[in-house]
Amino acid sequence: MTVRKKPLVVITRKLPDQVETRMRELFDARLNLDDKRMTQPELVAAVKEADVLVPTITDRIDAALIAQAGERLKLIANFGNGVDNIDVAAAAKKGITVTNTPNVLNEDTADMTMALMLAVPRRLTEGAQLLRSGEKWGGWSPTWMLGHRIWGKRLGIVGMGRVGTAVARRAKAFGLSIHYHNRQRVAPSIEDALEATYWDSLDQMLARMDIISVNCPSTPATFHLLSARRLELMQPRAYLVNTARGDVVDEDALIRLIEEGKLAGAGLDVFEHEPSVNTKLLKLAQKNKIVILPHMGSATIEGRIDMGEKVIINIRALFDGHRPPDRVLPRNV
């Protein structure tokens, strides 16, 4: 009996052991046990010899890299929901399928969004730092460490997709009034369940909200969607929370407005120039004007395992002669 050769799968970063073990069982999987980001020459070597490349959002799979791919490369199975790190059109032209891992991180990201939504106005990190530093605490006081409640406030969601909707469900349970801006209005049943108000004008919504939550993907159309002009429309009492992508927000403008007291603060899990973090943001965090996290929104072991399982399903589907369920097409298709 002829044994079919397993496809060579090159994985660019360390994945959970459970996922890597299954990859080794099913494929000729080349792991990255040191979890060091692959250099450009290493990525070139990988695409020249692999049947499948499994990159992450930290890998830039651009047209120049794809042009150097060997004939064996049939699939770029992204370990991530967004594919802004991959030139999908260039891959399609070369006959390479691109897949992602959608719909497994919605709840995790929504949880982190709510955590930041609470952390900023309620001064959670500021209070935690006080005790951690060993500074003497004089006990409870009626006027000490006062923040702002979120119950009864208006939340404006920018991007009412699966994550935005998951955020809205949580926020409604916390007593916030739900408002949203989206390319398309959501189904009436969803609006009714969330008691959500739709704004076709992003500008008008921004000017009326107490909290803005950014939950849209990074695309050419959403680059600096929250521009300096739009951020200046927000009320001085308002907070901004971003767990989507850093480049959706004009970071320099956001910093300036918070420094000038024209915005109350921000909770950020993503940054415009990741992994670099603007030193001005670090200073604002040190002054307790903002809360910043190192892109932890989807960082749960359950979520990472689910992502790995989706990658495996997509690889198996392609090499079994089927269309991968999470195939991503170029935007103009």
Side-chain angles (χ1 to χ4, degrees), residues 87-105:
D87 191 325
V88 179
K93 287 180 182 178
K94 202 170 173 67
I96 301 169
T97 300
V98 175
T99 60
N100 64 345
T101 60
N103 306 328
V104 295
L105 303 177

Side-chain angles (χ1 to χ4, degrees), residues 3-9 21-29 51-52 72 315 319:
V3 178
R4 187 174 62 177
K5 183 180 178 182
K6 296 179 179 180
L8 173 59
V9 178
T21 300
R22 189 60 177 148
M23 290 265 196
R24 290 296 299 269
E25 290 173 347
L26 295 171
F27 317 121
D28 179 9
D51 297 292
V52 180
R72 289 181 56 177
I315 297 172
F319 286 90

Side-chain angles (χ1 to χ4, degrees), residues 207-269:
R208 293 165 169 83
M209 297 297 111
D210 301 296
I211 304 171
I212 292 293
S213 177
V214 181
N215 300 108
C216 61
S218 174
T219 69
T222 62
F223 177 78
H224 281 192
L225 179 66
L226 295 189
S227 61
R229 180 190 68 79
R230 282 187 165 138
L231 290 171
E232 288 169 358
L233 296 173
M234 294 175 62
Q235 297 291 326
R237 67 174 186 275
Y239 298 90
L240 183 139
V241 174
N242 187 4
T243 55
R245 286 290 188 267
D247 62 7
V248 177
V249 179
D250 184 334
E251 201 169 84
D252 288 334
L254 177 67
I255 291 168
R256 175 177 56 82
L257 291 169
I258 294 173
E259 288 176 335
E260 294 174 356
K262 295 178 180 178
L263 278 179
L268 306 174
D269 186 46

Side-chain angles (χ1 to χ4, degrees), residues 8 10 30 38-50 65 68:
L8 173 59
V10 176
R30 186 177 299 170
M38 294 180 72
T39 65
Q40 196 64 19
E42 288 172 336
L43 283 172
V44 170
V47 298
K48 283 184 175 180
E49 60 178 329
L65 178 65
Q68 300 181 72

